[in-house]
């Protein structure tokens, strides 16, 4: 069965994380692990499927709907209008052409 067009799994350069439901920003460096919940799956799993899933992920699985572990707000761009001591930088340097 092929992945549905437009889904992360159908992208030619998709990472395993994207295929597993990570955001397209692909900025989750460490996902939050949650315990498996049989009711969270959209269809009924057989006992054999559930046992295999639990054996594969005994400590839980990534929940890509949660923020990355250690995530912080972005740092704004640094201004370059002045030096670290607050003094203005002055004019930009100029290039001078010299004949060889």
């Amino acid at each position: 069965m092929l992945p549905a067009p437009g889904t992360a799994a159908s992208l030619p350069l998709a990472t395993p994380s994207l295929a597993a439901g990570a955001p397209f920003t692909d900025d989750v460096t460490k996902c939050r692990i949650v315990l498996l919940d049989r009711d969270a799956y959209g269809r009924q799993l057989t006992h054999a499927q559930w046992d295999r899933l639990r054996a594969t992920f005994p400590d839980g699985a990534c929940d890509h709907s949660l923020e990355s572990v250690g995530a912080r707000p972005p740092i704004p761009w640094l201004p370059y209008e002045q030096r670290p001591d607050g003094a203005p930088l002055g004019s930009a340097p100029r290039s001078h052409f010299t004949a060889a």
Side-chain angles (χ1 to χ4, degrees):
M1 183 167 130
L2 295 174
T7 63
S10 69
L11 297 175
L13 300 176
T15 64
S17 295
L18 287 174
F24 282 110
T25 53
D26 203 21
D27 60 354
V28 176
T29 54
K30 183 176 181 183
C31 66
R32 295 190 184 271
I33 303 294
V34 296
L35 296 176
L36 297 177
D37 176 12
R38 192 170 186 162
D39 296 330
Y41 294 90
R43 62 187 179 113
Q44 192 66 16
L45 298 174
T46 66
H47 291 297
Q49 290 171 324
W50 179 246
D51 290 341
R52 185 171 181 188
L53 190 63
R54 288 180 42 207
T56 304
F57 301 104
D59 298 324
C62 287
D63 185 341
H64 293 292
S65 68
L66 301 175
E67 194 172 53
S68 179
V69 172
R72 298 179 304 207
I75 299 171
W77 287 97
L78 296 174
Y80 292 100
E81 296 90 22
Q82 59 190 18
R83 300 185 319 209
D85 64 2
L89 286 176
S91 301
R94 296 179 57 121
S95 298
H96 299 286
F97 175 76
T98 55

